[in-house]
Amino acid sequence: MDYVKTFSLFAATAFCEILGCYLPWLWLRQGRTAWLVVPAAASLALFAWLLTLHPQAAGRVYAAYGGVYIGVALAWLWAVDGIRPTGWDVLGAGVALAGMGIILFAPRPA
């Protein structure tokens, strides 16, 4: 699987997980309709399915996914919550993404 396809799949996975958690948050913390749990559940089901599309071992996929999740969560912070990430946030996400790259793309014995 090439790098762009892998990263795009991780980003879509992270978006679905964040959306699936954000919608109930809107209901419970901001008094929005309880019906938000319906699309939230669908989003979380899509999240779980997307994780199965990676060809790597499940544990390695979950470990590498964490790095991309951090980056997408900070993008969400800026785009949805309207809070611009700090330089420290960006540095932390960069370190996490570097770790993700090491975990996922390191050469493996055949």
Side-chain angles (χ1 to χ4, degrees), residues 1 4 8 12-13 21 26 31 35 52 54 57-58 64 66 71-72 77 82 86 93 100:
M1 185 177 276
V4 173
S8 298
T13 304
C21 294
L26 288 175
W35 285 103
T52 69
H54 294 274
V72 173
L77 175 72
T86 67
M100 172 263 191

Side-chain angles (χ1 to χ4, degrees), residues 97-109:
L97 287 170
M100 172 263 191
I102 292 167
I103 291 168
L104 201 59
F105 301 120
R108 308 254 186 260

Side-chain angles (χ1 to χ4, degrees), residues 19-98:
L19 181 63
C21 294
Y22 183 71
L23 293 175
W25 183 87
L26 288 175
W27 164 48
L28 295 169
R29 297 290 301 267
Q30 294 191 351
R32 304 276 180 90
T33 178
W35 285 103
L36 288 172
V37 298
V38 174
S43 185
L44 289 172
L46 182 57
F47 151 73
W49 176 73
L50 288 170
L51 279 176
T52 69
L53 299 180
H54 294 274
Q56 300 285 336
R60 186 169 292 128
V61 169
Y62 300 151
Y65 165 70
V68 176
Y69 179 87
I70 291 167
V72 173
L74 289 175
W76 184 280
L77 175 72
W78 195 353
V80 176
D81 293 329
I83 300 169
R84 186 175 182 169
T86 67
W88 292 108
D89 293 331
V90 173
L91 177 62
V95 169
L97 287 170

